[in-house]
Amino acid sequence: MNIAVVGSGYVGLVTGVCLAHIGHDVICVDIDEAKIKTLKQAKVPIYEPGLEDLLKKYLKNKRLRFTTSIKEATKESTAIFIAVGTPSKKNGEADLTYVENVAREIAVTMDSYKLIIEKSTVPADTGRRIERTIRLNLKNKIKQEKKGDREFDVASNPEFLREGSAVHDFMNPDRVVIGVESKKAEKILREIYKPLKPKMVVTNIKSAELIKHASNSFLATKISFINAIAQICDHIGGDVLKVAEGMGYDKRIGRAFLNAGVGYGGSCFPKDVDAFIRLSEKSGYNFRLLKEVRNVNEEQKSSFIRLIEDKLWIVKNKVIGVLGLAFKADTDDMRNAPSIDIIQALQAEGAKIRAYDPQAVNNAKKVLEDIIYCKDPYELAKDCDCLLILTEWDEFKDIDFTKIKKSMKQDIIFDGRNLYSDNRLGDIGFEYHGIGRGQV
Ligand code: UGA
């Protein structure tokens, strides 16, 4: 099928490349000329395992193309995915300016039936607004195959891709959710995803939009729940890892997303939780539960900072080495990374920060100041008063801490991801502090 994907950010790019991979002819659009130029040279501007190889392959066989023109993409496609950014406004609401612009541009160009699919995470109600915008801006007469055919359809098809494993998630979906208002729209979306043989959830547009909100908010709730348990563990001497294990074997609960840590970050959970709280408020429901999920997440960072202050005693002029800056492993993304708040709070008290991250340094430089970036964990450790583990990179598991210990000034480790949950750091003489391991 000829498909257009508008917006070549994280979601759009992964979607476009993967749709080509499952056999479609895809044209990806972005207004950023520099980005399109980079993509045409088969270079991926983000770090996402597996994406660049697929991009190269399908650019070469021409199943995948890039353009800055929505008009060109609209003319050539039957299905058009909208995957542009929906940043947060100051009040937490999603800013849908880009979505509206795209809907208008599609409307003025289209002269045959199109299925317009919202892929960006948007508030429930956006589908209806896209439909209205298109209708108000239609400039051409749509040639109908049969009398009574709809001129266009709008559908919702939320994504559930995780950064760092987005290609794998696209190719192996737990489910594909489609929100449609016509049989034709359903048929087209079923055909698009047929090669993946997924479990399909077919519903109306509003319910599909709500499934996305509810899924991300529920996962954020799971994380805040286990972080709250971690606080209790620290106070009464339990071990959150064992609690999570014991809970996780219950099939009704499951072990996933029960990793206590320094709180969730990234471009999705913080923004989506805010947006869902706002959406609920506007609809007349006070989503107190979700507000508390957000509070627990903020407190998780503050209590980690308080622990460091307590153990270091005087923070001023202490040298703190930070292992991991990205909001999670396998990404270079720094958006809402817990490392930002933690580092800035310690800098405000006069700490000197050294840092190492395998991928996120370039992005970290845009948001953090006065940091000495090191080429590896061993260079980082030199003269440090303590180390913080803020991202659970796999490569950190193989660090030789006996070597690290020799170059540090004081041997304290604050493991914000419970990466070294066995006793090995304690055994080689470190003062080790995890999250919810019952030591406070
Ligand atoms: C999340 C969802 O998992 C995807 O399903 C969704 O499609 C995506 O948002 C989106 O809306 O676009 P992502 O933000 O890439 O994906 O990252 P996650 O793996 O979900 O992690 C989010 C944050 O929660 C990270 O900071 C991570 O470190 C933290 N986390 C996750 C925990 O603190 N504990 C856990 O047990 C799991």
Side-chain angles (χ1 to χ4, degrees):
M1 191 183 297
N2 289 319
I3 298 176
V5 181
V6 185
S8 300
Y10 199 85
V11 172
L13 186 58
V14 173
T15 303
V17 170
C18 290
L19 285 171
H21 188 45
I22 60 172
H24 301 294
D25 287 301
V26 182
I27 180 159
C28 291
V29 191
D30 204 287
I31 46 168
D32 183 339
E33 286 183 16
K35 189 190 275 178
I36 290 297
K37 202 170 151 206
T38 310
L39 289 165
K40 279 181 173 171
Q41 292 162 352
K43 289 192 199 113
V44 173
I46 48 172
Y47 174 75
E48 182 61 39
L51 192 59
E52 198 156 285
D53 288 346
L54 293 179
L55 173 70
K56 278 195 186 113
K57 185 170 171 191
Y58 296 107
L59 266 178
K60 205 166 167 199
N61 76 5
K62 299 201 169 51
R63 221 190 266 166
L64 184 63
R65 287 174 300 137
F66 289 93
T67 178
T68 51
S69 162
I70 295 188
K71 285 192 175 61
E72 180 191 342
T74 303
K75 285 212 171 99
E76 292 183 20
S77 313
T78 308
I80 306 167
F81 284 91
I82 302 182
V84 293
T86 53
S88 289
K89 292 193 212 164
K90 276 208 176 79
N91 62 5
E93 238 170 68
D95 179 351
L96 299 176
T97 312
Y98 299 128
V99 175
E100 193 203 37
N101 287 347
V102 171
R104 207 177 306 122
E105 276 218 54
I106 293 170
V108 295
T109 310
M110 62 194 236
D111 56 6
S112 60
Y113 174 89
K114 307 283 171 196
L115 173 62
I116 297 105
I117 308 152
E118 40 166 62
K119 194 81 178 156
S120 308
T121 301
V122 289
D125 192 36
T126 307
R128 187 185 63 79
R129 289 187 180 276
I130 293 177
E131 156 124 40
R132 184 178 144 77
T133 304
I134 293 179
R135 198 159 291 293
L136 289 172
N137 287 276
L138 270 181
K139 291 286 174 264
N140 300 311
K141 188 152 174 47
I142 310 290
K143 292 171 223 122
Q144 290 170 322
E145 275 171 34
K146 285 198 298 261
K147 203 167 171 282
D149 265 3
R150 291 159 72 101
E151 296 165 291
F152 66 93
D153 273 303
V154 173
S156 164
N157 172 220
E159 54 84 20
F160 303 102
L161 310 173
R162 287 165 302 171
E163 289 188 21
S165 54
V167 173
H168 173 271
D169 290 351
F170 187 97
M171 301 310 298
N172 305 277
D174 289 338
R175 77 300 205 189
V176 166
V177 173
I178 59 174
V180 287
E181 311 287 340
S182 83
K183 281 280 163 218
K184 186 166 182 176
E186 178 181 342
K187 191 166 165 253
I188 292 173
L189 273 158
R190 279 189 185 277
E191 199 182 318
I192 290 174
Y193 287 104
K194 200 169 162 197
L196 296 173
K197 300 190 184 79
K199 190 174 281 169
M200 300 286 282
V201 179
V202 183
T203 178
N204 59 28
I205 294 179
K206 284 199 177 151
S207 304
E209 291 167 334
L210 279 170
I211 288 170
K212 171 70 188 187
H213 281 304
S215 300
N216 270 7
S217 297
F218 187 76
L219 291 171
T221 304
K222 252 186 128 175
I223 298 169
S224 278
F225 186 88
I226 201 68
N227 280 335
I229 300 291
Q231 292 290 334
I232 300 169
C233 284
D234 273 336
H235 286 98
I236 65 171
D239 180 354
V240 76
L241 292 175
K242 281 289 160 198
V243 178
E245 185 188 340
M247 288 168 67
Y249 284 125
D250 186 328
K251 287 196 190 66
R252 295 168 302 174
I253 299 174
R255 176 63 181 80
F257 279 70
L258 286 181
N259 296 319
V262 280
Y264 59 75
S267 68
C268 303
F269 287 176
K271 177 167 81 86
D272 291 358
V273 165
D274 281 353
F276 204 18
I277 290 171
R278 272 298 289 168
L279 176 78
S280 312
E281 246 159 27
K282 276 175 102 176
S283 74
Y285 179 70
N286 179 3
F287 209 150
R288 287 188 297 271
L289 176 64
L290 214 44
K291 287 181 180 168
E292 211 39 55
V293 166
R294 184 169 63 184
N295 290 341
V296 169
N297 198 54
E298 288 309 306
E299 274 167 30
Q300 201 61 13
K301 287 178 268 186
S302 332
S303 79
F304 189 66
I305 295 163
R306 280 200 304 276
L307 175 70
I308 299 167
E309 289 166 348
D310 181 41
K311 301 297 170 191
L312 279 187
W313 188 27
I314 308 294
V315 174
K316 194 168 175 198
N317 290 329
K318 291 270 162 67
V319 181
I320 299 181
V322 178
L323 271 169
L325 296 164
F327 83 94
K328 66 171 193 176
D330 293 326
T331 177
D332 60 355
D333 202 335
M334 283 296 293
R335 285 175 290 178
N336 288 306
S339 65
I340 299 173
D341 289 346
I342 294 167
I343 288 174
Q344 286 175 341
L346 296 169
Q347 282 178 326
E349 291 188 57
K352 297 187 165 47
I353 306 289
R354 296 164 70 80
Y356 168 72
D357 188 286
Q359 294 294 339
V361 169
N362 285 342
N363 286 334
K365 285 181 179 165
K366 297 176 198 158
V367 280
L368 289 164
E369 288 171 0
D370 294 330
I371 292 189
I372 297 173
Y373 291 100
C374 304
K375 70 173 190 321
D376 60 39
Y378 305 100
E379 185 186 303
L380 171 88
K382 203 171 169 301
D383 292 331
C384 280
D385 288 283
C386 68
L387 290 184
L388 318 184
I389 320 291
L390 298 186
T391 314
E392 68 284 23
W393 284 99
D394 245 358
E395 66 168 67
F396 293 172
K397 290 182 187 152
D398 301 324
I399 294 174
D400 177 351
F401 275 98
T402 312
K403 191 169 157 192
I404 291 266
K405 193 167 173 291
K406 286 189 187 129
S407 59
M408 287 178 68
K409 218 186 288 166
Q410 304 192 88
D411 308 329
I412 316 177
I413 293 200
F414 299 94
D415 181 359
R417 299 289 186 168
N418 285 338
L419 201 58
Y420 309 103
S421 49
D422 49 16
N423 243 345
R424 66 177 143 141
L425 297 187
D427 289 347
I428 55 174
F430 276 101
E431 181 183 309
Y432 173 79
H433 303 279
I435 302 278
R437 312 299 309 285
Q439 310 108 324
V440 177

